[in-house]
Amino acid sequence: MSQFENVTVTKKANVYFEGKVTSRKVTFADGSVKTLGIMLPGEYEFGTEAAELMEILAGDLEILLPEATDWQKVVGGESFNVPANASFKLKIYQVTDYCCSYLAD
Amino acid sequence: MSQFENVTVTKKANVYFEGKVTSRKVTFADGSVKTLGIMLPGEYEFGTEAAELMEILAGDLEILLPEATDWQKVVGGESFNVPANASFKLKIYQVTDYCCSYLAD
């Protein structure tokens, strides 16, 4: 699925880390939400509220998932899950284009 | 209008200048197109095909429009037009969130 149809897009971007991570919210007819975002090279830590599915559309990064001790390589075309109410770390090596789905309980 | 409803969003981002400028395409029911984008601090030059209306949602920048000799300050809440088949320059001083409308002939 290369595009999302019949959705609502919030114009204003979400801006984190001085703009090195940005995203925009996409709301679907069923009320579910995803964000489409960009991460530039750097190291970041994020906290979740809902559980997340992070789909990497393009990029080269490593992730440290909650309670994990080893960093895990992720590239474009791959995805990973993050549990709710947790924090995870990312090391971005190349511009990373992502789609984050917020999962219902 | 803080959001666009009943639109199609292309998942994959457009990436320019090593990710310092990125945007995503939003297509409306009438076939018209806008992009929502982010520009990080830096200096850029872009060429247009269609004429563009650039709405600055947030940011602090200067623009040099085609055939202009003076740079013009633009901040969040302002907008400017660029003619078709032209090039223009931007100096971005603070992270800039924008909406670009591509205007029909």
Side-chain angles (χ1 to χ4, degrees), chain A residues 22-33:
Chain A
T22 57
S23 70
R24 271 178 232 265
K25 182 179 173 185
V26 179
T27 306
F28 291 75
D30 66 2
S32 65
V33 170

Side-chain angles (χ1 to χ4, degrees), chain B:
Chain B
M1 183 170 48
S2 66
Q3 58 187 31
F4 297 132
E5 298 178 2
N6 191 25
V7 295
T8 295
V9 180
T10 302
K11 279 175 81 173
K12 191 172 169 51
N14 306 305
V15 177
Y16 310 98
F17 300 105
E18 299 179 321
K20 293 181 76 177
V21 178
T22 56
S23 71
R24 272 177 231 266
K25 182 180 173 185
V26 179
T27 306
F28 292 74
D30 65 359
S32 64
V33 169
K34 298 182 195 295
T35 53
L36 288 165
I38 294 284
M39 296 185 281
L40 296 192
E43 297 192 25
Y44 310 107
E45 181 164 4
F46 282 98
T48 62
E49 293 181 8
E52 299 180 1
L53 167 62
M54 281 284 286
E55 177 188 1
I56 305 302
L57 306 173
D60 180 0
L61 62 153
E62 288 187 315
I63 58 170
L64 185 65
L65 291 175
E67 317 215 0
T69 52
D70 292 332
W71 289 82
Q72 176 185 337
K73 183 174 173 65
V74 183
V75 298
E78 297 181 340
S79 60
F80 58 93
N81 283 274
V82 187
N85 303 308
S87 76
F88 67 109
K89 295 181 180 178
L90 306 112
K91 294 181 185 171
I92 307 295
Y93 297 111
Q94 287 188 20
V95 178
T96 293
D97 186 8
Y98 71 87
C99 178
C100 180
S101 300
Y102 300 90
L103 308 177
D105 293 332

Side-chain angles (χ1 to χ4, degrees), chain A residues 75-97:
Chain A
V75 297
E78 298 181 341
S79 59
F80 59 94
N81 283 274
V82 187
N85 303 307
S87 76
F88 66 109
K89 295 181 180 177
L90 305 112
K91 293 180 186 172
I92 307 295
Y93 298 111
Q94 288 188 19
V95 178
T96 292
D97 185 7

